[in-house]
Amino acid sequence: MSNQQRSRWDLGRFWQTVTYFEIIPLVNCWQKLFSPRAASHNSRPQTYNQQAKMKILVVGATGGVGKRVVKRLVEQNYDVMALVRDGIRGKEILGDRVKLWEGDLTIPETLKPEMISGVSAVICCSGTKVQPVEGDTPTREKYYQGIKFYLPEVADSPEQVEYRGMQNLVQLVSQHIQPITDKVLFNFSNPTTDIKETWGALDDVVMGGVSQSNIRLVNNRAIFGGIVSTDNNGGFASVRTRNFQPPLDLSDFEGIELRVKGDGKRYKFITRCEGKWDGIGYCYSFDTVYNFPTTIRIPFRCLIPVFRAKTVAEAEQLDASKVYSMQLMLSKFEYDGTLNPKFEAGSFGLEIEYIKAYNTKPKSQFVLISSAGVTRPGRPGLNLEEEPPAVRMNEQLGGILTWKLRGEEVVQASGLNYTIIRPCALTENPGDKPLYVEQGDNLKGQVGRDAIAELAIQAIQLPEAVNKTFEVKEESQPGETNWQKLFSGLTKNEDEDEGNI
Ligand SMILES: NC(=O)c1ccc[n+]([C@@H]2O[C@H](COP(=O)([O-])OP(=O)(O)OC[C@H]3O[C@@H](n4cnc5c(N)ncnc54)[C@H](OP(=O)(O)O)[C@@H]3O)[C@@H](O)[C@H]2O)c1
């Protein structure tokens, strides 16, 4: 049959397609009036796995950095748990959207395994409480180099909070943390009967063609199959999901994995990060081997932005935090008019066992907010006059920095993937300045608690942050931080150790 051949177009199938996907608003309204099953998006049974993002435990969640970490995690749709010493105070500060656990790092019996259940990462912002020396009132203000301050003292033992407390926490976390696993989105080997609630045929009938396909469950597999025809200038058959409501947040993952058995043809996987029907589709072509099961990994960064079969060079990469739909297609065309070299008109079939979001690179499971200066007390040649108060007053403050360093060592030896952040002096400044990082513990300066909260969250998201310990301050001029670059420029702890052998 030639491309130009005309065949009888099927209005019924065209109508079925536009109503299934609610393409035309008018149809949508009409359908809502007369079809109780289609009354609302949310009344559809969900045949896909829609969960919140990873579960994160924040320790020291009532503190200056901790409460900011919690706020940002909640805004980013994470499932957040918080360890607090006082539940009532915790609720006042953190509100209702966070599951609170009452506990004290220095009292192991209060640290329950349940608080780690299902948790993929811990952000630890706790620190020994430092307060003005008892009886030190505003009328007895002290000045140091013109700056007003109160003589500080520690309210608790730094050895207990920073070291023994860290031992208690890390022991519990390493025993009970949940490894980050792949997220199965569609498991057709454990079938639900309502596959047709989510997936529907979308063939070239919408453009006047006569190809016909469908998706059905057979022997614990989904089969995308049918007949593709180039008549009436057509040449594609596909199945697409209705829009996910709400869109899937897959930003914790690297890409999509398909387990398929095909017929030797080349197919396309297409996904979208817009709710509109006809927006940019992000495409990836994959070859199948005749009657042989294959695992196809599609990194998000390898998806090609395409609008109506033409590539869109200026388009942004897929925003994996809002994935609205997925589609499998057999098309005569690749992109920009080139032909699919493995295309043949006629019958076809692709078996799909599952579709999941996958991860291959480990990410940090434990982020510790420590402090710049932890290795400085007792360092030969140090000019104390130039050092921040915590270094100068380490002894008066119960060896706070020394015990923080011991706490860091506990984390580094735990076997967990970790990131240790050592901020310079913390301020209430907005986090609108780029961050500057260094290793070797010589950095001086200051940094906003907001910026540290964001840095801690980036550290659980980016694999480049794993097993790195570093100091951080903010630059003087406002600007953006390139997080990937920031972490990539740092040396891993094990690499440093190897260098020392
Ligand atoms: N201040 C600075 O300039 C500076 C500089 C560099 C690094 N740091 C370090 O950065 C981290 C965050 O600073 P921040 O200003 O957010 O501290 P913060 O406001 O004092 O908060 C400390 C948090 O730790 C909790 N905590 C203390 N002892 C605990 C225990 N035994 N068990 C459980 N939780 C406990 C506190 O709970 P409660 O609310 O119950 O007291 C509070 O939530 C700290 O480790 C701090 O030492 C500070």
Side-chain angles (χ1 to χ4, degrees), residues 438-476:
E438 250 185 39
Q439 290 171 299
D441 197 15
N442 295 304
L443 198 64
K444 295 179 189 110
Q446 58 177 41
V447 58
R449 288 182 170 85
D450 269 317
I452 293 300
E454 184 56 35
L455 176 64
I457 294 172
Q458 294 290 336
I460 57 168
Q461 294 173 340
L462 295 173
E464 292 82 357
V466 170
N467 294 356
K468 295 187 172 167
T469 301
F470 58 92
E471 299 77 51
V472 55
K473 68 168 188 171
E474 67 196 11
E475 306 274 20
S476 50

mmCIF file of all heavy atoms in Angstrom, residues 438-476:
data_model
loop_
_atom_site.group_PDB
_atom_site.id
_atom_site.type_symbol
_atom_site.label_atom_id
_atom_site.label_comp_id
_atom_site.label_asym_id
_atom_site.label_seq_id
_atom_site.Cartn_x
_atom_site.Cartn_y
_atom_site.Cartn_z
ATOM 1 N N GLU A 438 34.902 25.162 51.140
ATOM 2 C CA GLU A 438 36.330 24.822 51.173
ATOM 3 C C GLU A 438 36.514 23.578 52.021
ATOM 4 O O GLU A 438 35.614 23.230 52.790
ATOM 5 C CB GLU A 438 37.096 25.958 51.864
ATOM 6 C CG GLU A 438 37.978 26.777 50.948
ATOM 7 C CD GLU A 438 38.796 27.816 51.712
ATOM 8 O OE1 GLU A 438 39.298 27.546 52.838
ATOM 9 O OE2 GLU A 438 38.913 28.917 51.170
ATOM 10 N N GLN A 439 37.677 22.923 51.901
ATOM 11 C CA GLN A 439 38.015 21.823 52.803
ATOM 12 C C GLN A 439 39.344 22.132 53.458
ATOM 13 O O GLN A 439 40.132 22.897 52.922
ATOM 14 C CB GLN A 439 38.074 20.505 52.021
ATOM 15 C CG GLN A 439 36.682 20.083 51.568
ATOM 16 C CD GLN A 439 36.671 18.916 50.621
ATOM 17 O OE1 GLN A 439 37.243 19.015 49.539
ATOM 18 N NE2 GLN A 439 36.029 17.826 50.993
ATOM 19 N N GLY A 440 39.566 21.589 54.653
ATOM 20 C CA GLY A 440 40.819 21.869 55.362
ATOM 21 C C GLY A 440 40.590 22.687 56.616
ATOM 22 O O GLY A 440 41.492 22.913 57.408
ATOM 23 N N ASP A 441 39.417 23.176 56.830
ATOM 24 C CA ASP A 441 38.985 23.904 58.035
ATOM 25 C C ASP A 441 39.793 25.173 58.318
ATOM 26 O O ASP A 441 40.336 25.348 59.416
ATOM 27 C CB ASP A 441 39.008 22.953 59.253
ATOM 28 C CG ASP A 441 38.192 23.513 60.408
ATOM 29 O OD1 ASP A 441 37.404 24.455 60.193
ATOM 30 O OD2 ASP A 441 38.354 23.019 61.545
ATOM 31 N N ASN A 442 39.865 26.031 57.318
ATOM 32 C CA ASN A 442 40.497 27.337 57.527
ATOM 33 C C ASN A 442 39.535 28.493 57.257
ATOM 34 O O ASN A 442 39.901 29.656 57.399
ATOM 35 C CB ASN A 442 41.705 27.490 56.589
ATOM 36 C CG ASN A 442 42.789 26.490 56.936
ATOM 37 O OD1 ASN A 442 43.247 26.447 58.073
ATOM 38 N ND2 ASN A 442 43.163 25.657 55.982
ATOM 39 N N LEU A 443 38.319 28.164 56.840
ATOM 40 C CA LEU A 443 37.403 29.197 56.352
ATOM 41 C C LEU A 443 36.839 30.037 57.497
ATOM 42 O O LEU A 443 36.519 29.521 58.571
ATOM 43 C CB LEU A 443 36.246 28.505 55.603
ATOM 44 C CG LEU A 443 35.419 29.361 54.670
ATOM 45 C CD1 LEU A 443 36.277 29.867 53.509
ATOM 46 C CD2 LEU A 443 34.240 28.558 54.111
ATOM 47 N N LYS A 444 36.706 31.353 57.240
ATOM 48 C CA LYS A 444 36.071 32.253 58.215
ATOM 49 C C LYS A 444 35.037 33.075 57.479
ATOM 50 O O LYS A 444 35.208 33.370 56.291
ATOM 51 C CB LYS A 444 37.098 33.183 58.851
ATOM 52 C CG LYS A 444 38.107 32.450 59.673
ATOM 53 C CD LYS A 444 39.148 33.381 60.273
ATOM 54 C CE LYS A 444 40.243 32.545 60.897
ATOM 55 N NZ LYS A 444 41.505 32.599 60.203
ATOM 56 N N GLY A 445 33.995 33.474 58.196
ATOM 57 C CA GLY A 445 32.948 34.278 57.559
ATOM 58 C C GLY A 445 31.622 33.985 58.204
ATOM 59 O O GLY A 445 31.561 33.543 59.361
ATOM 60 N N GLN A 446 30.551 34.210 57.475
ATOM 61 C CA GLN A 446 29.234 33.927 58.022
ATOM 62 C C GLN A 446 28.313 33.403 56.928
ATOM 63 O O GLN A 446 28.626 33.501 55.734
ATOM 64 C CB GLN A 446 28.644 35.174 58.677
ATOM 65 C CG GLN A 446 28.525 36.355 57.722
ATOM 66 C CD GLN A 446 27.871 37.543 58.396
ATOM 67 O OE1 GLN A 446 28.153 37.836 59.557
ATOM 68 N NE2 GLN A 446 26.989 38.223 57.684
ATOM 69 N N VAL A 447 27.200 32.840 57.362
ATOM 70 C CA VAL A 447 26.264 32.254 56.395
ATOM 71 C C VAL A 447 24.874 32.195 57.046
ATOM 72 O O VAL A 447 24.751 31.921 58.238
ATOM 73 C CB VAL A 447 26.764 30.846 55.933
ATOM 74 C CG1 VAL A 447 26.947 29.878 57.076
ATOM 75 C CG2 VAL A 447 25.827 30.266 54.884
ATOM 76 N N GLY A 448 23.846 32.471 56.232
ATOM 77 C CA GLY A 448 22.470 32.479 56.746
ATOM 78 C C GLY A 448 21.955 31.073 57.018
ATOM 79 O O GLY A 448 22.318 30.121 56.326
ATOM 80 N N ARG A 449 21.101 30.949 58.054
ATOM 81 C CA ARG A 449 20.501 29.628 58.362
ATOM 82 C C ARG A 449 19.622 29.148 57.208
ATOM 83 O O ARG A 449 19.509 27.953 56.964
ATOM 84 C CB ARG A 449 19.682 29.726 59.658
ATOM 85 C CG ARG A 449 20.556 29.847 60.896
ATOM 86 C CD ARG A 449 19.744 29.895 62.182
ATOM 87 N NE ARG A 449 20.606 29.766 63.348
ATOM 88 C CZ ARG A 449 21.240 30.777 63.935
ATOM 89 N NH1 ARG A 449 21.104 32.011 63.470
ATOM 90 N NH2 ARG A 449 22.008 30.567 64.985
ATOM 91 N N ASP A 450 18.989 30.093 56.489
ATOM 92 C CA ASP A 450 18.167 29.707 55.334
ATOM 93 C C ASP A 450 19.015 29.008 54.284
ATOM 94 O O ASP A 450 18.609 28.003 53.706
ATOM 95 C CB ASP A 450 17.539 30.958 54.697
ATOM 96 C CG ASP A 450 16.185 31.242 55.305
ATOM 97 O OD1 ASP A 450 15.422 30.277 55.500
ATOM 98 O OD2 ASP A 450 15.901 32.421 55.589
ATOM 99 N N ALA A 451 20.189 29.562 54.029
ATOM 100 C CA ALA A 451 21.069 28.988 53.000
ATOM 101 C C ALA A 451 21.549 27.603 53.430
ATOM 102 O O ALA A 451 21.660 26.692 52.603
ATOM 103 C CB ALA A 451 22.255 29.918 52.756
ATOM 104 N N ILE A 452 21.818 27.440 54.726
ATOM 105 C CA ILE A 452 22.282 26.124 55.208
ATOM 106 C C ILE A 452 21.157 25.096 55.084
ATOM 107 O O ILE A 452 21.387 23.933 54.731
ATOM 108 C CB ILE A 452 22.794 26.242 56.673
ATOM 109 C CG1 ILE A 452 24.063 27.099 56.703
ATOM 110 C CG2 ILE A 452 23.056 24.867 57.282
ATOM 111 C CD1 ILE A 452 25.222 26.559 55.885
ATOM 112 N N ALA A 453 19.918 25.535 55.351
ATOM 113 C CA ALA A 453 18.779 24.611 55.219
ATOM 114 C C ALA A 453 18.679 24.120 53.768
ATOM 115 O O ALA A 453 18.519 22.931 53.505
ATOM 116 C CB ALA A 453 17.490 25.308 55.644
ATOM 117 N N GLU A 454 18.806 25.038 52.821
ATOM 118 C CA GLU A 454 18.716 24.645 51.403
ATOM 119 C C GLU A 454 19.890 23.729 51.020
ATOM 120 O O GLU A 454 19.713 22.736 50.316
ATOM 121 C CB GLU A 454 18.694 25.910 50.520
ATOM 122 C CG GLU A 454 18.506 25.630 49.039
ATOM 123 C CD GLU A 454 17.249 24.829 48.707
ATOM 124 O OE1 GLU A 454 16.230 25.030 49.401
ATOM 125 O OE2 GLU A 454 17.294 24.007 47.782
ATOM 126 N N LEU A 455 21.076 24.071 51.512
ATOM 127 C CA LEU A 455 22.266 23.251 51.226
ATOM 128 C C LEU A 455 22.071 21.812 51.734
ATOM 129 O O LEU A 455 22.415 20.842 51.049
ATOM 130 C CB LEU A 455 23.495 23.907 51.888
ATOM 131 C CG LEU A 455 24.822 23.173 51.800
ATOM 132 C CD1 LEU A 455 25.299 23.044 50.361
ATOM 133 C CD2 LEU A 455 25.890 23.895 52.629
ATOM 134 N N ALA A 456 21.493 21.685 52.936
ATOM 135 C CA ALA A 456 21.276 20.348 53.514
ATOM 136 C C ALA A 456 20.321 19.543 52.640
ATOM 137 O O ALA A 456 20.519 18.336 52.435
ATOM 138 C CB ALA A 456 20.726 20.475 54.926
ATOM 139 N N ILE A 457 19.307 20.197 52.104
ATOM 140 C CA ILE A 457 18.333 19.477 51.260
ATOM 141 C C ILE A 457 18.968 19.098 49.921
ATOM 142 O O ILE A 457 18.791 17.993 49.413
ATOM 143 C CB ILE A 457 17.054 20.324 51.076
ATOM 144 C CG1 ILE A 457 16.363 20.450 52.433
ATOM 145 C CG2 ILE A 457 16.113 19.702 50.057
ATOM 146 C CD1 ILE A 457 15.199 21.408 52.466
ATOM 147 N N GLN A 458 19.762 20.000 49.369
ATOM 148 C CA GLN A 458 20.472 19.666 48.127
ATOM 149 C C GLN A 458 21.385 18.449 48.356
ATOM 150 O O GLN A 458 21.565 17.624 47.468
ATOM 151 C CB GLN A 458 21.312 20.860 47.649
ATOM 152 C CG GLN A 458 20.491 22.061 47.216
ATOM 153 C CD GLN A 458 19.724 21.833 45.924
ATOM 154 O OE1 GLN A 458 20.090 20.998 45.125
ATOM 155 N NE2 GLN A 458 18.627 22.563 45.747
ATOM 156 N N ALA A 459 21.930 18.373 49.578
ATOM 157 C CA ALA A 459 22.871 17.275 49.871
ATOM 158 C C ALA A 459 22.186 15.911 49.874
ATOM 159 O O ALA A 459 22.840 14.901 49.616
ATOM 160 C CB ALA A 459 23.568 17.523 51.207
ATOM 161 N N ILE A 460 20.874 15.855 50.166
ATOM 162 C CA ILE A 460 20.217 14.536 50.083
ATOM 163 C C ILE A 460 19.752 14.244 48.655
ATOM 164 O O ILE A 460 19.381 13.134 48.333
ATOM 165 C CB ILE A 460 19.013 14.389 51.055
ATOM 166 C CG1 ILE A 460 17.958 15.472 50.809
ATOM 167 C CG2 ILE A 460 19.450 14.334 52.492
ATOM 168 C CD1 ILE A 460 16.647 15.213 51.515
ATOM 169 N N GLN A 461 19.765 15.268 47.808
ATOM 170 C CA GLN A 461 19.247 15.077 46.447
ATOM 171 C C GLN A 461 20.333 14.779 45.421
ATOM 172 O O GLN A 461 20.080 14.141 44.410
ATOM 173 C CB GLN A 461 18.480 16.336 45.998
ATOM 174 C CG GLN A 461 17.212 16.561 46.807
ATOM 175 C CD GLN A 461 16.532 17.880 46.496
ATOM 176 O OE1 GLN A 461 17.149 18.797 45.958
ATOM 177 N NE2 GLN A 461 15.267 17.989 46.851
ATOM 178 N N LEU A 462 21.537 15.269 45.651
ATOM 179 C CA LEU A 462 22.565 15.173 44.610
ATOM 180 C C LEU A 462 23.633 14.140 44.974
ATOM 181 O O LEU A 462 24.277 14.250 46.028
ATOM 182 C CB LEU A 462 23.225 16.544 44.393
ATOM 183 C CG LEU A 462 22.270 17.610 43.846
ATOM 184 C CD1 LEU A 462 22.942 18.970 43.830
ATOM 185 C CD2 LEU A 462 21.813 17.250 42.433
ATOM 186 N N PRO A 463 23.844 13.152 44.125
ATOM 187 C CA PRO A 463 24.829 12.106 44.440
ATOM 188 C C PRO A 463 26.236 12.663 44.619
ATOM 189 O O PRO A 463 27.052 12.081 45.315
ATOM 190 C CB PRO A 463 24.760 11.175 43.221
ATOM 191 C CG PRO A 463 23.807 11.755 42.253
ATOM 192 C CD PRO A 463 23.132 12.926 42.861
ATOM 193 N N GLU A 464 26.510 13.841 44.034
ATOM 194 C CA GLU A 464 27.856 14.449 44.134
ATOM 195 C C GLU A 464 28.201 14.830 45.586
ATOM 196 O O GLU A 464 29.355 15.122 45.903
ATOM 197 C CB GLU A 464 27.949 15.710 43.268
ATOM 198 C CG GLU A 464 27.881 15.480 41.779
ATOM 199 C CD GLU A 464 26.463 15.330 41.243
ATOM 200 O OE1 GLU A 464 25.508 15.354 42.046
ATOM 201 O OE2 GLU A 464 26.303 15.156 40.023
ATOM 202 N N ALA A 465 27.188 14.860 46.475
ATOM 203 C CA ALA A 465 27.435 15.304 47.861
ATOM 204 C C ALA A 465 27.887 14.162 48.764
ATOM 205 O O ALA A 465 28.296 14.394 49.907
ATOM 206 C CB ALA A 465 26.160 15.925 48.433
ATOM 207 N N VAL A 466 27.842 12.927 48.242
ATOM 208 C CA VAL A 466 28.065 11.769 49.119
ATOM 209 C C VAL A 466 29.495 11.703 49.645
ATOM 210 O O VAL A 466 30.461 11.864 48.901
ATOM 211 C CB VAL A 466 27.704 10.467 48.361
ATOM 212 C CG1 VAL A 466 28.158 9.232 49.137
ATOM 213 C CG2 VAL A 466 26.213 10.404 48.123
ATOM 214 N N ASN A 467 29.594 11.472 50.962
ATOM 215 C CA ASN A 467 30.850 11.263 51.695
ATOM 216 C C ASN A 467 31.808 12.453 51.580
ATOM 217 O O ASN A 467 33.013 12.291 51.433
ATOM 218 C CB ASN A 467 31.532 9.952 51.252
ATOM 219 C CG ASN A 467 30.680 8.745 51.647
ATOM 220 O OD1 ASN A 467 29.638 8.906 52.297
ATOM 221 N ND2 ASN A 467 31.103 7.575 51.279
ATOM 222 N N LYS A 468 31.242 13.647 51.656
ATOM 223 C CA LYS A 468 32.062 14.861 51.627
ATOM 224 C C LYS A 468 31.867 15.659 52.916
ATOM 225 O O LYS A 468 30.754 15.729 53.438
ATOM 226 C CB LYS A 468 31.713 15.690 50.397
ATOM 227 C CG LYS A 468 32.094 14.909 49.134
ATOM 228 C CD LYS A 468 31.952 15.648 47.861
ATOM 229 C CE LYS A 468 32.567 14.812 46.734
ATOM 230 N NZ LYS A 468 32.230 15.302 45.413
ATOM 231 N N THR A 469 32.966 16.222 53.393
ATOM 232 C CA THR A 469 32.957 17.054 54.599
ATOM 233 C C THR A 469 33.569 18.387 54.201
ATOM 234 O O THR A 469 34.649 18.413 53.600
ATOM 235 C CB THR A 469 33.821 16.391 55.705
ATOM 236 O OG1 THR A 469 33.289 15.106 55.990
ATOM 237 C CG2 THR A 469 33.847 17.230 56.971
ATOM 238 N N PHE A 470 32.890 19.476 54.511
ATOM 239 C CA PHE A 470 33.401 20.760 54.016
ATOM 240 C C PHE A 470 32.871 21.935 54.843
ATOM 241 O O PHE A 470 31.857 21.831 55.516
ATOM 242 C CB PHE A 470 33.002 20.942 52.542
ATOM 243 C CG PHE A 470 31.510 20.891 52.324
ATOM 244 C CD1 PHE A 470 30.743 22.048 52.351
ATOM 245 C CD2 PHE A 470 30.861 19.681 52.116
ATOM 246 C CE1 PHE A 470 29.375 21.987 52.158
ATOM 247 C CE2 PHE A 470 29.490 19.617 51.923
ATOM 248 C CZ PHE A 470 28.747 20.769 51.948
ATOM 249 N N GLU A 471 33.637 23.056 54.752
ATOM 250 C CA GLU A 471 33.215 24.285 55.411
ATOM 251 C C GLU A 471 32.468 25.160 54.403
ATOM 252 O O GLU A 471 32.708 25.051 53.194
ATOM 253 C CB GLU A 471 34.428 25.069 55.940
ATOM 254 C CG GLU A 471 35.253 24.309 56.962
ATOM 255 C CD GLU A 471 36.159 23.249 56.334
ATOM 256 O OE1 GLU A 471 36.907 23.578 55.385
ATOM 257 O OE2 GLU A 471 36.104 22.090 56.787
ATOM 258 N N VAL A 472 31.608 26.031 54.922
ATOM 259 C CA VAL A 472 30.822 26.855 54.004
ATOM 260 C C VAL A 472 30.562 28.246 54.609
ATOM 261 O O VAL A 472 30.314 28.390 55.793
ATOM 262 C CB VAL A 472 29.485 26.144 53.632
ATOM 263 C CG1 VAL A 472 28.687 25.756 54.872
ATOM 264 C CG2 VAL A 472 28.628 26.978 52.703
ATOM 265 N N LYS A 473 30.647 29.252 53.717
ATOM 266 C CA LYS A 473 30.254 30.615 54.088
ATOM 267 C C LYS A 473 29.503 31.192 52.893
ATOM 268 O O LYS A 473 29.440 30.562 51.820
ATOM 269 C CB LYS A 473 31.471 31.479 54.418
ATOM 270 C CG LYS A 473 32.354 31.772 53.235
ATOM 271 C CD LYS A 473 33.363 32.856 53.564
ATOM 272 C CE LYS A 473 34.122 33.274 52.304
ATOM 273 N NZ LYS A 473 34.957 34.431 52.456
ATOM 274 N N GLU A 474 28.910 32.381 53.080
ATOM 275 C CA GLU A 474 28.256 32.974 51.917
ATOM 276 C C GLU A 474 29.131 34.075 51.338
ATOM 277 O O GLU A 474 29.934 34.690 52.034
ATOM 278 C CB GLU A 474 26.862 33.496 52.279
ATOM 279 C CG GLU A 474 26.864 34.667 53.224
ATOM 280 C CD GLU A 474 25.506 34.927 53.861
ATOM 281 O OE1 GLU A 474 24.592 34.090 53.744
ATOM 282 O OE2 GLU A 474 25.379 35.979 54.499
ATOM 283 N N GLU A 475 28.975 34.295 50.024
ATOM 284 C CA GLU A 475 29.699 35.383 49.356
ATOM 285 C C GLU A 475 29.037 36.706 49.761
ATOM 286 O O GLU A 475 27.951 36.721 50.338
ATOM 287 C CB GLU A 475 29.604 35.224 47.834
ATOM 288 C CG GLU A 475 30.049 33.880 47.311
ATOM 289 C CD GLU A 475 31.560 33.816 47.074
ATOM 290 O OE1 GLU A 475 32.282 34.643 47.646
ATOM 291 O OE2 GLU A 475 31.983 32.929 46.323
ATOM 292 N N SER A 476 29.673 37.828 49.400
ATOM 293 C CA SER A 476 29.126 39.113 49.844
ATOM 294 C C SER A 476 28.005 39.624 48.941
ATOM 295 O O SER A 476 27.107 40.325 49.396
ATOM 296 C CB SER A 476 30.236 40.152 49.969
ATOM 297 O OG SER A 476 30.981 40.131 48.785
#
